[in-house]
Amino acid sequence: MLRNSPNHYGSLTRCLHWLIAILVILQLSSSFLNILREGNVYSQAVVQWHTTIGVGILALMAMRTLWAISQLRHRPEHRGALQKAAIWGHVLMYLVLLLMPLSGMAFTWGSGYGVMTPWFLHTLRR
Ligand code: HEM
């Protein structure tokens, strides 16, 4: 089922969740591994796509936010202090995952690249 229901999350919510999770893991693991072992093969392969993956995350997060808002009345209920804390944890994660790519784009523009570059730049100067 595409939509969420009070008993379970629908296929679109799950699909967006795992797609974004995989892309975020790729971004963070390739960037941080490059700090630990500069120039390693994995980071070199993935970092070439840092901008594209990051802008992809931004687009998917925008879709996910709109979808989550449209599903507010259909999602599983959250009761109790722990579940309320989980909701705020998720709100925080949504904000971070929207602000991270935006700050990356601002950094790229601030570094003197053209306005369209942050969408298409495949190689970061590091
Ligand atoms: C959720 C998406 C993103 C995540 C998780 C992420 C993660 C990171 C991390 C962990 C670093 C630090 C790497 C290091 O210091 O070597 C970094 C650096 C950088 N990112 Fe991203 N990034 C994202 C999206 C973007 C986007 C969309 C752009 C550009 C359009 C971008 C541009 C950059 C640039 C230019 C740097 C280098 C900054 C510097 O030299 O200090 N990032 N990113």
Side-chain angles (χ1 to χ4, degrees):
M1 207 170 44
L2 194 73
R3 287 174 159 270
N4 297 337
S5 78
N7 299 324
H8 76 291
Y9 289 105
S11 53
L12 186 57
T13 303
R14 290 185 207 200
C15 216
L16 286 169
H17 173 88
W18 283 110
L19 205 56
I20 293 168
I22 290 166
L23 293 178
V24 170
I25 289 169
L26 277 177
Q27 286 290 71
L28 293 177
S29 60
S30 58
S31 295
F32 288 128
L33 199 68
N34 200 42
I35 296 173
L36 292 177
R37 286 180 178 267
E38 206 180 328
N40 71 83
V41 179
Y42 169 72
S43 298
Q44 277 188 335
V46 180
V47 162
Q48 290 183 55
W49 298 95
H50 189 89
T51 301
T52 313
I53 295 173
V55 173
I57 292 172
L58 181 63
L60 290 169
M61 277 307 297
M63 276 175 62
R64 187 173 174 179
T65 305
L66 294 175
W67 177 247
I69 291 170
S70 80
Q71 295 296 296
L72 279 179
R73 285 163 186 251
H74 307 287
R75 46 187 287 130
E77 254 187 67
H78 291 79
R79 293 202 192 117
L82 199 60
Q83 301 216 6
K84 293 268 183 293
I87 290 178
W88 285 107
H90 276 80
V91 170
L92 199 68
M93 260 194 286
Y94 272 60
L95 286 178
V96 167
L97 287 177
L98 288 165
L99 288 177
M100 259 188 114
L102 287 174
S103 69
M105 291 169 80
F107 188 96
T108 311
W109 280 319
S111 305
Y113 290 101
V115 172
M116 290 309 285
T117 318
W119 305 89
F120 300 116
L121 183 73
H122 288 302
T123 325
L124 289 179
R125 280 188 312 181
R126 279 159 191 276

